[in-house]
Amino acid sequence: MSPDAEHDAALYGHGVSAHEDGHYVHIAAGPWSTRYWTGNPDSLWAEERADYWIASVWGRCGRGLTWKSGPSSATTPRSCPTCVLSDAAISARHTRIR
């Protein structure tokens, strides 16, 4: 793991993206934001009528994270291969012309 990734992991922690079903544990790139969803009582779907708290943050790889997590281990999903790279390597991947 690069020093940049270790620094961000120590400051902001780890998270999982709801869009990829938790296949990777990502490193958060900034502080987590938390907001309260009051729900929509007129909705046809029960999950939209309920109120709940939402926590979110951007991962170092650019993916939006919605669930806090611990670091990857033998019993949890593996680390995101992009999140563990240095800031320069991530920037180079995002600006590469294909």
Side-chain angles (χ1 to χ4, degrees), residues 56-81:
S56 61
V57 69
W58 288 108
R60 286 179 47 85
C61 61
R63 183 172 293 278
L65 310 179
T66 51
W67 299 98
K68 291 185 179 182
S69 172
S72 61
S73 67
T75 60
T76 61
R78 61 186 176 143
S79 296
C80 170

Side-chain angles (χ1 to χ4, degrees), residues 30-94:
W32 286 82
S33 66
T34 307
R35 63 186 189 278
Y36 184 72
W37 167 256
T38 57
N40 182 0
D42 298 329
S43 177
L44 297 174
W45 294 274
E47 62 270 12
E48 290 194 10
R49 289 193 295 268
D51 52 339
Y52 52 89
W53 287 93
I54 301 170
S56 61
V57 69
W58 288 108
R60 286 179 47 85
C61 61
R63 183 172 293 278
L65 310 179
T66 51
W67 299 98
K68 291 185 179 182
S69 172
S72 61
S73 67
T75 60
T76 61
R78 61 186 176 143
S79 296
C80 170
T82 304
C83 285
V84 297
L85 298 174
S86 68
D87 290 343
I90 291 172
S91 179
R93 280 186 171 204
H94 287 174

